[in-house]
Amino acid sequence: MEGKHREEMREEGGISRRSFLGSALAVAAGTAALGLSACADGAAAADKDSTAPHTPVGMPQSWDAEADVVIVGYGGAGGIAAVIAADDGASVILVEKYPDDTATEIRHVPSSRFCGGICVCARDAKEGSEALYELSFGTTPRAVCDVWGEGATHNVEFWNSLGAEYPEPTWDVGEYPELPGGHTIGTSRVEGGGPRMFQVLRQNVIDRADKIQVMYETAGKRLIQNEETKEIVGVVATAKDGKELNIKAKKAVALCTGGFEWNEEMKQNFLRGYPSWFYTNPNNTGEGILMGQAVGGALWHMNAISARAIPYHPDWPKGTQIGLQLPNLFVNRYGKRWFYEREWPSHNAWVEFVNFNSRTAEYESSPAWVIYDDTARKPLISPQSKGFLGDTKDLQYWGPEDMRDIEAAVSKGWIRRGNTPEELAAEIVKDKENAGRMTPEALADTIARFNEFCAKGVDEDFDREADSLIPLATPPFYAVKVYPGGPNTQGGLKKNEKGQVMNPFDEPIKRLYCAGENGSVYGFLYPTGGGNVCEMTIFGQVIGHAMAAETAWE
Amino acid sequence: MIERAGERAALHGASLEVQGTPARDAVTEGHRPTAGEGSQESRWAAPRSTDREGQGAPVLDAGTQGQMPPIADAAREGLGAPAHEVVLTLQAEKSEYPVGSFAGFMVLARCLSGCSLAGSNIAVLAEEGALLAELPLAANEEGVWSSGPFALRVPSTPGEWRWPIEYRPAPVGLDTSEGSPSDVSPAGTDVSGVPSDVSPAGADVSGAPSDVSPAGVSHHCAPLDFCFTTVAHRTSLAVWGVPPFPISSGEAFTIEVGAQCAEGCCLQGRTINVLNGEEVLASAVLDGGTESLPGMYRASIALAAPDIPGFYDWSCRLHGDPTDAAAVLGASGTQPLAVPGALSDTLSAASPDAAAQHPMESQHDAPEGLGGPGQDGGLAHRAAHARLVFTVGVHPDSEVVVRVMEERSAMPIEGAFITLMAASGFPYRARTDSGGLARLPVPSGSFRLSAAQTDYDKRQMDIVVNQEQAEIEMRLVYNPDLG
């Protein structure tokens, strides 16, 4: 039904996204033609020299599966790329680590399936491009920004062409409206959030079963490269039974494997500050980035993340998102305020938590502590919370069940509690990572000074607005340890405006593409909630078209 | 007299991990014996660089506690020595304790020549020499003999203390060979006239100065001191119920004050004062507390707002005891190592019964006899204070009624924070009820009105309030942060 809807729209020629993709496609097709020419010449030369079938170096002797396009990672970017490539006539294999859903259980849960379903949009292509360039502090080339800006003006149309019902965006909601182009950023959120958005995408994939084969419980492991032509011609993947499969990609391979939020070594090497924790898809272990690196892919945006501060505990399978009620304040390891707390929910507040003190050789604010009193304790966790992988409508919450049970959380040390500020500090210093840094007097002084500002309506230290200056006074007092972290990493394989993976010399690697959080366009600051959906929507389409437009190498 | 509880040991272990610096400070080792004590310098020359460098007493950090000099090296250093050296190491959780609380610690002993110390004891003495506890060195791990973790109640008076810890050898004739590590045993090496196939069994390993055993083996051990400080119990206050908006001039208001002892003592009956500077404005006696705030003792205090509008910074104070640390220790820096009479406290309080009754055992279940004046057995408490800040404004002559609802569904939003801020002056605040309504009595004038609630976009508007009641509708957009 939803697929048909999109078909109808496409036939009517009413999808303006085609126009924005037109220029990128033309160039991509040209590149592909050149690639084909070189490949054909090479093959002809080889044929002259040998009467036996020639297997180029790097190529397997046999293949276990094949399609025009092989996409590693069936999240939002991979799913969109598959739908687009299929509609452009290509056969597609989607390689996905998760198992498929059953009739009663949701088991395939990429980040896009449990995000908020918000999509960033741009009111104007040029302004949008400028906004991305500024947000990335110049680390994203203008040509890439231009594709993003143009695409972001059509995101709602695209999703609605798939059958989603995204409303008109709300404009000027970016986190940095003061930056050039920043005020033209808007967002649209589909009713039902990420679960609904991904349900629509899944249905579109299912509707194209004649073109798209999904290989669930199969993990991409390496890329297969023809070492003579340097083209990427397939993927080695590991099936559920451990068997290695050679999957041929006659036109192109895409790495849509998400970020590296669950690869500690990569986090430690690439991110500012350590540790940091995330609440994304725990299958985001960065292997798609490594696969691209192994064939010469360059990296970009490796230290950019979309994050704020979140609690984490080794008892939990994942990081946890919290929704904080007023009153609250943040203190560092020494019990001192250090930044304008109202910004903490922003997707860029994480930078405040990685301030390193070179004298003491420590991150003074990581982990930090959220302090609140009894008037705010109940709404600490977002009210829509339920268990991770629960029923669809509650997929937004992925914290431990017990976190909502205050008594249990206190008894386990997940939440610290004290009847007075001093007693709360005495509990906090029991934490191994605090190790006695916070004194009862320091925390009591901080809260007393904050309450003074609340009475006056003026935050003399950090200029917090009067309407958020609610005193913390009603016992007991609570504290939750938080680390820099949140949604996801942005770094990965560097791509050009056509979604081609680039090598360190800024040359595209033949027949290799990427989209989504594996090397997203966000080089430093994140526009606002929905930025990831915007990236996957635009570059999923870009690479879907580009891969289908490649000429098969055999 | 002593407590040998596994639970307590575990607790102390955790404390060591989290309090690295105090733990380092508290860990000490037998001081270097002098020639006059019959030791040989060479035995002590190698094990610790800090020692070699003359940086004072060796200090173990939390990561190396219990790592005594390797036996093999020590044994080599002891070659040809007439006596075996026993080295004591103390591991204590910290160096400062609340009066009357328990100090958890463990003593490790090692013969540098690798002898078994089975059957030997450790004695903890008061400074005057009275025995506080004697514990067997029962556990042996790779030649290090341990008392195991144990706890002793510290004196109930603030002060600085020194408890000598002595090594007490096994009675003569007791077979102490069991557990002596074979690879480092002196067997096979004649280091002190012992036949090579004979272990130090039967050796008289009495403490310093060295004794010579019948078998010809002598041991000596320098006692070490457990030095620590006892301080008055920390108390703290919470003050709440203060109106979060300007109180009208002269108007009565009531605050809640809660007091807590960090050690869980009962504070019922103690007095809370409200002060403006040093002027006492009001007083109240702490009651028995409430179940919802275990360990806290409360008082409601009625106050009258000053007549002059403005910001006020008063305080609430719980007075300390005369034996407060500041009073006892004084400002001169001359501090007694022991307070007369405290020893008997130590001895009596360190009984098993007393240990079971100690407030540290159940912080929120302070037993009778450890509470307020006349009930706490003389345990000293520090003073506590908390600021009491509020604002006073002119009498309101208007009321603003704000109705907050979700933009699309028009459903009321409960608990939204409403703030009315004048261009100059202090903020007026209220929260919406279940019907999304909030009422704010305010004086006439111009205000910026804002409504905020988690998961909703904040909304602001400028309003002019006159003496007629006005209801203002504010619709908030639901915009949860979902990534």
Side-chain angles (χ1 to χ4, degrees), chain B residues 233 259-261 263-270 286-289 295-297 359 363 365-373 375-376 381:
Chain B
H233 290 189
Q260 183 160 355
C261 167
E263 304 305 316
C265 293
C266 175
L267 301 178
Q268 184 177 0
R270 290 177 182 257
L286 293 170
D287 65 13
M296 176 171 265
Y297 298 84
Q363 292 227 351
D365 188 21
E368 288 186 15
L370 292 172
Q375 296 182 335
D376 60 6
H381 288 80

PDB file of all heavy atoms in Angstrom, chain B residues 233 259-261 263-270 286-289 295-297 359 363 365-373 375-376 381:
ATOM      1  N   HIS B 233      31.307  14.340  65.539  1.00  0.00           N
ATOM      2  CA  HIS B 233      30.431  13.909  64.452  1.00  0.00           C
ATOM      3  C   HIS B 233      29.987  15.112  63.613  1.00  0.00           C
ATOM      4  O   HIS B 233      29.652  16.158  64.159  1.00  0.00           O
ATOM      5  CB  HIS B 233      29.186  13.211  65.001  1.00  0.00           C
ATOM      6  CG  HIS B 233      29.491  11.873  65.604  1.00  0.00           C
ATOM      7  ND1 HIS B 233      28.510  10.991  65.996  1.00  0.00           N
ATOM      8  CD2 HIS B 233      30.674  11.249  65.860  1.00  0.00           C
ATOM      9  CE1 HIS B 233      29.073   9.888  66.466  1.00  0.00           C
ATOM     10  NE2 HIS B 233      30.383  10.028  66.413  1.00  0.00           N
ATOM     11  N   ALA B 259      17.652  18.116  60.659  1.00  0.00           N
ATOM     12  CA  ALA B 259      19.055  17.969  61.062  1.00  0.00           C
ATOM     13  C   ALA B 259      19.416  16.485  61.067  1.00  0.00           C
ATOM     14  O   ALA B 259      18.586  15.636  61.396  1.00  0.00           O
ATOM     15  CB  ALA B 259      19.284  18.576  62.438  1.00  0.00           C
ATOM     16  N   GLN B 260      20.634  16.213  60.699  1.00  0.00           N
ATOM     17  CA  GLN B 260      21.077  14.819  60.668  1.00  0.00           C
ATOM     18  C   GLN B 260      22.516  14.716  61.134  1.00  0.00           C
ATOM     19  O   GLN B 260      23.353  15.566  60.808  1.00  0.00           O
ATOM     20  CB  GLN B 260      20.955  14.251  59.262  1.00  0.00           C
ATOM     21  CG  GLN B 260      21.336  12.778  59.190  1.00  0.00           C
ATOM     22  CD  GLN B 260      20.781  12.093  57.964  1.00  0.00           C
ATOM     23  OE1 GLN B 260      20.020  12.689  57.197  1.00  0.00           O
ATOM     24  NE2 GLN B 260      21.144  10.849  57.762  1.00  0.00           N
ATOM     25  N   CYS B 261      22.789  13.666  61.888  1.00  0.00           N
ATOM     26  CA  CYS B 261      24.160  13.335  62.262  1.00  0.00           C
ATOM     27  C   CYS B 261      24.688  12.345  61.237  1.00  0.00           C
ATOM     28  O   CYS B 261      24.009  11.366  60.894  1.00  0.00           O
ATOM     29  CB  CYS B 261      24.190  12.726  63.661  1.00  0.00           C
ATOM     30  SG  CYS B 261      25.778  11.936  64.051  1.00  0.00           S
ATOM     31  N   GLU B 263      26.717  10.149  61.571  1.00  0.00           N
ATOM     32  CA  GLU B 263      26.901   8.818  62.153  1.00  0.00           C
ATOM     33  C   GLU B 263      25.596   8.212  62.606  1.00  0.00           C
ATOM     34  O   GLU B 263      25.578   7.135  63.212  1.00  0.00           O
ATOM     35  CB  GLU B 263      27.886   8.894  63.325  1.00  0.00           C
ATOM     36  CG  GLU B 263      29.228   9.496  62.971  1.00  0.00           C
ATOM     37  CD  GLU B 263      29.890   8.776  61.815  1.00  0.00           C
ATOM     38  OE1 GLU B 263      29.877   7.534  61.822  1.00  0.00           O
ATOM     39  OE2 GLU B 263      30.385   9.462  60.904  1.00  0.00           O
ATOM     40  N   GLY B 264      24.501   8.901  62.358  1.00  0.00           N
ATOM     41  CA  GLY B 264      23.193   8.351  62.663  1.00  0.00           C
ATOM     42  C   GLY B 264      22.735   8.547  64.093  1.00  0.00           C
ATOM     43  O   GLY B 264      21.767   7.925  64.521  1.00  0.00           O
ATOM     44  N   CYS B 265      23.376   9.453  64.818  1.00  0.00           N
ATOM     45  CA  CYS B 265      22.968   9.667  66.205  1.00  0.00           C
ATOM     46  C   CYS B 265      21.604  10.353  66.274  1.00  0.00           C
ATOM     47  O   CYS B 265      21.209  11.088  65.370  1.00  0.00           O
ATOM     48  CB  CYS B 265      23.987  10.545  66.930  1.00  0.00           C
ATOM     49  SG  CYS B 265      25.586   9.761  67.145  1.00  0.00           S
ATOM     50  N   CYS B 266      20.934  10.135  67.354  1.00  0.00           N
ATOM     51  CA  CYS B 266      19.666  10.804  67.590  1.00  0.00           C
ATOM     52  C   CYS B 266      19.930  12.264  67.978  1.00  0.00           C
ATOM     53  O   CYS B 266      20.737  12.543  68.869  1.00  0.00           O
ATOM     54  CB  CYS B 266      18.913  10.091  68.713  1.00  0.00           C
ATOM     55  SG  CYS B 266      17.387  10.928  69.174  1.00  0.00           S
ATOM     56  N   LEU B 267      19.253  13.149  67.304  1.00  0.00           N
ATOM     57  CA  LEU B 267      19.409  14.585  67.601  1.00  0.00           C
ATOM     58  C   LEU B 267      18.145  15.164  68.215  1.00  0.00           C
ATOM     59  O   LEU B 267      18.010  16.383  68.355  1.00  0.00           O
ATOM     60  CB  LEU B 267      19.773  15.341  66.317  1.00  0.00           C
ATOM     61  CG  LEU B 267      21.068  14.902  65.613  1.00  0.00           C
ATOM     62  CD1 LEU B 267      21.280  15.695  64.335  1.00  0.00           C
ATOM     63  CD2 LEU B 267      22.265  15.053  66.547  1.00  0.00           C
ATOM     64  N   GLN B 268      17.242  14.316  68.556  1.00  0.00           N
ATOM     65  CA  GLN B 268      15.991  14.794  69.131  1.00  0.00           C
ATOM     66  C   GLN B 268      16.275  15.609  70.389  1.00  0.00           C
ATOM     67  O   GLN B 268      17.113  15.225  71.209  1.00  0.00           O
ATOM     68  CB  GLN B 268      15.087  13.607  69.485  1.00  0.00           C
ATOM     69  CG  GLN B 268      13.726  13.998  69.997  1.00  0.00           C
ATOM     70  CD  GLN B 268      12.854  12.772  70.255  1.00  0.00           C
ATOM     71  OE1 GLN B 268      13.298  11.642  70.043  1.00  0.00           O
ATOM     72  NE2 GLN B 268      11.631  13.008  70.688  1.00  0.00           N
ATOM     73  N   GLY B 269      15.574  16.717  70.519  1.00  0.00           N
ATOM     74  CA  GLY B 269      15.731  17.556  71.690  1.00  0.00           C
ATOM     75  C   GLY B 269      16.764  18.649  71.539  1.00  0.00           C
ATOM     76  O   GLY B 269      16.822  19.565  72.354  1.00  0.00           O
ATOM     77  N   ARG B 270      17.570  18.566  70.526  1.00  0.00           N
ATOM     78  CA  ARG B 270      18.542  19.637  70.306  1.00  0.00           C
ATOM     79  C   ARG B 270      17.832  20.850  69.707  1.00  0.00           C
ATOM     80  O   ARG B 270      16.777  20.726  69.090  1.00  0.00           O
ATOM     81  CB  ARG B 270      19.667  19.177  69.379  1.00  0.00           C
ATOM     82  CG  ARG B 270      20.596  18.152  70.037  1.00  0.00           C
ATOM     83  CD  ARG B 270      21.661  17.660  69.092  1.00  0.00           C
ATOM     84  NE  ARG B 270      22.506  16.664  69.730  1.00  0.00           N
ATOM     85  CZ  ARG B 270      23.749  16.916  70.190  1.00  0.00           C
ATOM     86  NH1 ARG B 270      24.271  18.121  70.069  1.00  0.00           N
ATOM     87  NH2 ARG B 270      24.451  15.960  70.771  1.00  0.00           N
ATOM     88  N   LEU B 286      14.228  20.097  67.969  1.00  0.00           N
ATOM     89  CA  LEU B 286      14.052  19.027  66.994  1.00  0.00           C
ATOM     90  C   LEU B 286      13.190  17.912  67.570  1.00  0.00           C
ATOM     91  O   LEU B 286      13.359  17.510  68.726  1.00  0.00           O
ATOM     92  CB  LEU B 286      15.417  18.456  66.591  1.00  0.00           C
ATOM     93  CG  LEU B 286      16.319  19.399  65.803  1.00  0.00           C
ATOM     94  CD1 LEU B 286      17.724  18.810  65.689  1.00  0.00           C
ATOM     95  CD2 LEU B 286      15.738  19.664  64.412  1.00  0.00           C
ATOM     96  N   ASP B 287      12.287  17.423  66.741  1.00  0.00           N
ATOM     97  CA  ASP B 287      11.404  16.355  67.204  1.00  0.00           C
ATOM     98  C   ASP B 287      11.989  14.990  66.818  1.00  0.00           C
ATOM     99  O   ASP B 287      13.151  14.881  66.437  1.00  0.00           O
ATOM    100  CB  ASP B 287      10.001  16.546  66.639  1.00  0.00           C
ATOM    101  CG  ASP B 287       9.977  16.397  65.125  1.00  0.00           C
ATOM    102  OD1 ASP B 287      10.973  15.918  64.551  1.00  0.00           O
ATOM    103  OD2 ASP B 287       8.964  16.771  64.519  1.00  0.00           O
ATOM    104  N   GLY B 288      11.136  13.984  66.881  1.00  0.00           N
ATOM    105  CA  GLY B 288      11.620  12.629  66.664  1.00  0.00           C
ATOM    106  C   GLY B 288      11.790  12.221  65.220  1.00  0.00           C
ATOM    107  O   GLY B 288      12.112  11.071  64.943  1.00  0.00           O
ATOM    108  N   GLY B 289      11.548  13.135  64.293  1.00  0.00           N
ATOM    109  CA  GLY B 289      11.772  12.788  62.900  1.00  0.00           C
ATOM    110  C   GLY B 289      10.581  12.084  62.273  1.00  0.00           C
ATOM    111  O   GLY B 289       9.549  11.854  62.917  1.00  0.00           O
ATOM    112  N   GLY B 295      16.668   9.120  59.894  1.00  0.00           N
ATOM    113  CA  GLY B 295      17.919   9.729  60.343  1.00  0.00           C
ATOM    114  C   GLY B 295      17.838  11.221  60.494  1.00  0.00           C
ATOM    115  O   GLY B 295      18.766  11.847  61.001  1.00  0.00           O
ATOM    116  N   MET B 296      16.743  11.813  60.039  1.00  0.00           N
ATOM    117  CA  MET B 296      16.619  13.272  60.110  1.00  0.00           C
ATOM    118  C   MET B 296      15.623  13.649  61.211  1.00  0.00           C
ATOM    119  O   MET B 296      14.578  13.021  61.357  1.00  0.00           O
ATOM    120  CB  MET B 296      16.159  13.829  58.759  1.00  0.00           C
ATOM    121  CG  MET B 296      15.913  15.330  58.778  1.00  0.00           C
ATOM    122  SD  MET B 296      15.633  15.994  57.112  1.00  0.00           S
ATOM    123  CE  MET B 296      17.292  16.520  56.703  1.00  0.00           C
ATOM    124  N   TYR B 297      15.984  14.666  61.964  1.00  0.00           N
ATOM    125  CA  TYR B 297      15.148  15.167  63.056  1.00  0.00           C
ATOM    126  C   TYR B 297      14.689  16.561  62.682  1.00  0.00           C
ATOM    127  O   TYR B 297      15.494  17.387  62.251  1.00  0.00           O
ATOM    128  CB  TYR B 297      15.922  15.120  64.376  1.00  0.00           C
ATOM    129  CG  TYR B 297      16.296  13.705  64.704  1.00  0.00           C
ATOM    130  CD1 TYR B 297      17.446  13.131  64.162  1.00  0.00           C
ATOM    131  CD2 TYR B 297      15.450  12.908  65.460  1.00  0.00           C
ATOM    132  CE1 TYR B 297      17.756  11.800  64.399  1.00  0.00           C
ATOM    133  CE2 TYR B 297      15.757  11.570  65.708  1.00  0.00           C
ATOM    134  CZ  TYR B 297      16.919  11.029  65.169  1.00  0.00           C
ATOM    135  OH  TYR B 297      17.213   9.709  65.386  1.00  0.00           O
ATOM    136  N   PRO B 359      25.944   3.171  66.118  1.00  0.00           N
ATOM    137  CA  PRO B 359      25.130   3.750  65.054  1.00  0.00           C
ATOM    138  C   PRO B 359      25.665   3.459  63.663  1.00  0.00           C
ATOM    139  O   PRO B 359      24.905   3.469  62.706  1.00  0.00           O
ATOM    140  CB  PRO B 359      25.152   5.245  65.370  1.00  0.00           C
ATOM    141  CG  PRO B 359      26.263   5.438  66.357  1.00  0.00           C
ATOM    142  CD  PRO B 359      26.365   4.155  67.097  1.00  0.00           C
ATOM    143  N   GLN B 363      22.710   3.185  60.263  1.00  0.00           N
ATOM    144  CA  GLN B 363      22.790   4.636  60.289  1.00  0.00           C
ATOM    145  C   GLN B 363      21.457   5.308  60.570  1.00  0.00           C
ATOM    146  O   GLN B 363      21.399   6.401  61.082  1.00  0.00           O
ATOM    147  CB  GLN B 363      23.337   5.111  58.952  1.00  0.00           C
ATOM    148  CG  GLN B 363      24.774   4.719  58.741  1.00  0.00           C
ATOM    149  CD  GLN B 363      25.587   5.880  58.257  1.00  0.00           C
ATOM    150  OE1 GLN B 363      25.045   6.908  57.933  1.00  0.00           O
ATOM    151  NE2 GLN B 363      26.883   5.725  58.227  1.00  0.00           N
ATOM    152  N   ASP B 365      18.941   4.071  62.300  1.00  0.00           N
ATOM    153  CA  ASP B 365      18.217   3.470  63.410  1.00  0.00           C
ATOM    154  C   ASP B 365      19.001   3.757  64.680  1.00  0.00           C
ATOM    155  O   ASP B 365      19.450   2.861  65.367  1.00  0.00           O
ATOM    156  CB  ASP B 365      18.068   1.954  63.167  1.00  0.00           C
ATOM    157  CG  ASP B 365      17.162   1.335  64.198  1.00  0.00           C
ATOM    158  OD1 ASP B 365      16.376   2.082  64.807  1.00  0.00           O
ATOM    159  OD2 ASP B 365      17.234   0.101  64.380  1.00  0.00           O
ATOM    160  N   ALA B 366      19.178   5.027  64.936  1.00  0.00           N
ATOM    161  CA  ALA B 366      20.012   5.408  66.070  1.00  0.00           C
ATOM    162  C   ALA B 366      19.422   4.877  67.359  1.00  0.00           C
ATOM    163  O   ALA B 366      18.268   5.134  67.678  1.00  0.00           O
ATOM    164  CB  ALA B 366      20.121   6.927  66.140  1.00  0.00           C
ATOM    165  N   PRO B 367      20.177   4.108  68.082  1.00  0.00           N
ATOM    166  CA  PRO B 367      19.655   3.537  69.326  1.00  0.00           C
ATOM    167  C   PRO B 367      19.624   4.572  70.438  1.00  0.00           C
ATOM    168  O   PRO B 367      20.323   5.585  70.392  1.00  0.00           O
ATOM    169  CB  PRO B 367      20.670   2.435  69.626  1.00  0.00           C
ATOM    170  CG  PRO B 367      21.948   2.945  69.050  1.00  0.00           C
ATOM    171  CD  PRO B 367      21.566   3.730  67.830  1.00  0.00           C
ATOM    172  N   GLU B 368      18.842   4.302  71.399  1.00  0.00           N
ATOM    173  CA  GLU B 368      18.842   5.175  72.563  1.00  0.00           C
ATOM    174  C   GLU B 368      20.220   5.082  73.222  1.00  0.00           C
ATOM    175  O   GLU B 368      20.871   4.049  73.214  1.00  0.00           O
ATOM    176  CB  GLU B 368      17.767   4.721  73.549  1.00  0.00           C
ATOM    177  CG  GLU B 368      16.362   5.030  73.068  1.00  0.00           C
ATOM    178  CD  GLU B 368      15.347   4.705  74.136  1.00  0.00           C
ATOM    179  OE1 GLU B 368      15.749   4.518  75.294  1.00  0.00           O
ATOM    180  OE2 GLU B 368      14.163   4.651  73.793  1.00  0.00           O
ATOM    181  N   GLY B 369      20.582   6.163  73.814  1.00  0.00           N
ATOM    182  CA  GLY B 369      21.876   6.159  74.478  1.00  0.00           C
ATOM    183  C   GLY B 369      22.980   6.713  73.603  1.00  0.00           C
ATOM    184  O   GLY B 369      24.074   6.950  74.068  1.00  0.00           O
ATOM    185  N   LEU B 370      22.705   6.920  72.338  1.00  0.00           N
ATOM    186  CA  LEU B 370      23.705   7.518  71.466  1.00  0.00           C
ATOM    187  C   LEU B 370      23.158   8.801  70.861  1.00  0.00           C
ATOM    188  O   LEU B 370      23.627   9.269  69.854  1.00  0.00           O
ATOM    189  CB  LEU B 370      24.097   6.541  70.350  1.00  0.00           C
ATOM    190  CG  LEU B 370      24.863   5.311  70.819  1.00  0.00           C
ATOM    191  CD1 LEU B 370      25.011   4.333  69.674  1.00  0.00           C
ATOM    192  CD2 LEU B 370      26.214   5.706  71.377  1.00  0.00           C
ATOM    193  N   GLY B 371      22.107   9.341  71.439  1.00  0.00           N
ATOM    194  CA  GLY B 371      21.407  10.455  70.820  1.00  0.00           C
ATOM    195  C   GLY B 371      21.811  11.793  71.380  1.00  0.00           C
ATOM    196  O   GLY B 371      22.989  12.089  71.532  1.00  0.00           O
ATOM    197  N   GLY B 372      20.845  12.607  71.688  1.00  0.00           N
ATOM    198  CA  GLY B 372      21.067  13.994  72.055  1.00  0.00           C
ATOM    199  C   GLY B 372      21.691  14.135  73.424  1.00  0.00           C
ATOM    200  O   GLY B 372      22.205  13.168  74.001  1.00  0.00           O
ATOM    201  N   PRO B 373      21.650  15.347  73.945  1.00  0.00           N
ATOM    202  CA  PRO B 373      22.277  15.614  75.236  1.00  0.00           C
ATOM    203  C   PRO B 373      21.762  14.647  76.301  1.00  0.00           C
ATOM    204  O   PRO B 373      20.570  14.435  76.441  1.00  0.00           O
ATOM    205  CB  PRO B 373      21.852  17.049  75.535  1.00  0.00           C
ATOM    206  CG  PRO B 373      21.539  17.637  74.196  1.00  0.00           C
ATOM    207  CD  PRO B 373      21.031  16.519  73.364  1.00  0.00           C
ATOM    208  N   GLN B 375      21.985  11.629  76.139  1.00  0.00           N
ATOM    209  CA  GLN B 375      21.646  10.328  75.574  1.00  0.00           C
ATOM    210  C   GLN B 375      22.764   9.768  74.710  1.00  0.00           C
ATOM    211  O   GLN B 375      22.723   8.613  74.334  1.00  0.00           O
ATOM    212  CB  GLN B 375      20.389  10.440  74.700  1.00  0.00           C
ATOM    213  CG  GLN B 375      19.150  10.831  75.473  1.00  0.00           C
ATOM    214  CD  GLN B 375      17.961  10.866  74.543  1.00  0.00           C
ATOM    215  OE1 GLN B 375      18.107  11.054  73.341  1.00  0.00           O
ATOM    216  NE2 GLN B 375      16.785  10.671  75.096  1.00  0.00           N
ATOM    217  N   ASP B 376      23.689  10.605  74.338  1.00  0.00           N
ATOM    218  CA  ASP B 376      24.643  10.162  73.334  1.00  0.00           C
ATOM    219  C   ASP B 376      25.961   9.690  73.928  1.00  0.00           C
ATOM    220  O   ASP B 376      26.935   9.527  73.206  1.00  0.00           O
ATOM    221  CB  ASP B 376      24.897  11.268  72.323  1.00  0.00           C
ATOM    222  CG  ASP B 376      25.448  12.515  72.977  1.00  0.00           C
ATOM    223  OD1 ASP B 376      25.732  12.459  74.190  1.00  0.00           O
ATOM    224  OD2 ASP B 376      25.583  13.527  72.281  1.00  0.00           O
ATOM    225  N   HIS B 381      29.425  16.467  68.812  1.00  0.00           N
ATOM    226  CA  HIS B 381      28.876  16.810  67.506  1.00  0.00           C
ATOM    227  C   HIS B 381      29.304  18.217  67.118  1.00  0.00           C
ATOM    228  O   HIS B 381      29.322  19.113  67.955  1.00  0.00           O
ATOM    229  CB  HIS B 381      27.350  16.714  67.528  1.00  0.00           C
ATOM    230  CG  HIS B 381      26.867  15.304  67.584  1.00  0.00           C
ATOM    231  ND1 HIS B 381      26.822  14.580  68.744  1.00  0.00           N
ATOM    232  CD2 HIS B 381      26.443  14.473  66.599  1.00  0.00           C
ATOM    233  CE1 HIS B 381      26.372  13.363  68.479  1.00  0.00           C
ATOM    234  NE2 HIS B 381      26.147  13.271  67.178  1.00  0.00           N
TER     235      HIS B 381
END
